[in-house]
Amino acid sequence: MARAASRNGDGPIIIKKYANRRLYNTHSSKYITLDFLAELTRKDIDFKVFDAKTNDDITHGVLTQIIMEEENSGQQMLPVGFLKQLIAMYGDSMQGMVPQFLESSMDNFRKNQKQVQDAIETAITSGPFGHIAKQNIEFMRSAREALIPNLGDLTGGKAAQTESVADLKRQIAELQAKLDKIAAD
């Protein structure tokens, strides 16, 4: 998924991380927190984090740190089985394919998020307490739109949904072909 540029449109916001573990936003000339970077990520605002001393790009490590803090705060999203499988892939011959596969899968999931939400909503609202569930869903939708304005429809309509599903099927077929080729070698 394409990342939005920084607020001024000049590319990613540059963050410097100092030896004392403090983060400095060079765009706003302010010290910031990991929570601030997590919020930028949620808003799809692009940024890069550099070590202030060596000027090495440490964005990957900082994003991993944000995930660790989210997971430790009770907001666990990554199942233990998934984490074990991910760890097992390090050093495996397939390791080089994993990042692209995960990124592509997440992009497709986000593109189809509306479709998934609609399916869950239909399943929930068809029960005996459907009218209460519908009211709660509408309340949550209104609250989300009030708190996170201008997200718009991530799916882009029925044609985009069909195209996304077809694209996902094509990608799975390509991955299967690569796996078959590797297995044959």
Side-chain angles (χ1 to χ4, degrees):
M1 179 171 267
R3 302 283 314 215
S6 66
R7 291 180 189 184
N8 63 6
D10 295 334
I13 295 172
I14 303 300
I15 309 296
K16 295 285 186 175
K17 185 172 185 181
Y18 289 92
N20 63 4
R21 300 175 58 181
R22 292 190 73 184
L23 298 165
Y24 185 75
N25 181 343
T26 61
H27 180 72
S28 66
S29 300
K30 294 180 182 176
Y31 284 101
I32 58 169
T33 63
L34 287 175
D35 288 337
F36 179 81
L37 292 180
E39 191 59 34
L40 287 180
T41 303
R42 287 182 190 97
K43 292 179 179 177
D44 205 25
I45 297 172
D46 199 13
F47 63 88
K48 290 196 178 284
V49 182
F50 293 95
D51 182 285
K53 185 176 182 180
T54 65
N55 210 32
D56 290 339
D57 184 342
I58 58 171
T59 308
H60 185 274
V62 170
L63 291 172
T64 304
Q65 186 178 357
I66 291 169
I67 291 170
M68 290 297 301
E69 288 197 6
E70 290 288 340
E71 289 288 312
N72 289 331
S73 72
Q75 301 273 345
Q76 294 180 345
M77 184 173 21
L78 302 173
V80 171
F82 173 81
L83 293 171
K84 287 180 178 180
Q85 290 174 16
L86 191 60
I87 292 167
M89 294 299 293
Y90 282 93
D92 187 273
S93 63
M94 300 295 289
Q95 180 177 346
M97 292 177 60
V98 172
Q100 182 181 359
F101 173 76
L102 291 176
E103 188 169 11
S104 176
S105 296
M106 186 57 77
D107 284 347
N108 283 318
F109 176 80
R110 289 191 68 191
K111 288 176 186 171
N112 294 313
Q113 188 174 11
K114 174 81 168 108
Q115 193 174 6
V116 171
Q117 287 173 336
D118 288 347
I120 291 170
E121 184 177 319
T122 300
I124 291 171
T125 59
S126 62
F129 297 105
H131 68 285
I132 295 171
K134 285 179 186 176
Q135 288 174 341
N136 288 339
I137 289 169
E138 188 54 40
F139 172 75
M140 294 302 288
R141 185 176 287 135
S142 298
R144 182 187 67 211
E145 288 171 3
L147 295 173
I148 309 171
N150 301 325
L151 281 182
D153 183 10
L154 294 175
T155 61
K158 286 276 189 206
Q161 289 175 359
T162 304
E163 186 177 310
S164 292
V165 171
D167 186 48
L168 182 58
K169 287 179 182 178
R170 180 191 53 75
Q171 290 176 8
I172 290 171
E174 288 174 3
L175 285 172
Q176 185 62 49
K178 287 178 184 178
L179 288 172
D180 292 343
K181 184 177 183 233
I182 290 171
D185 291 342

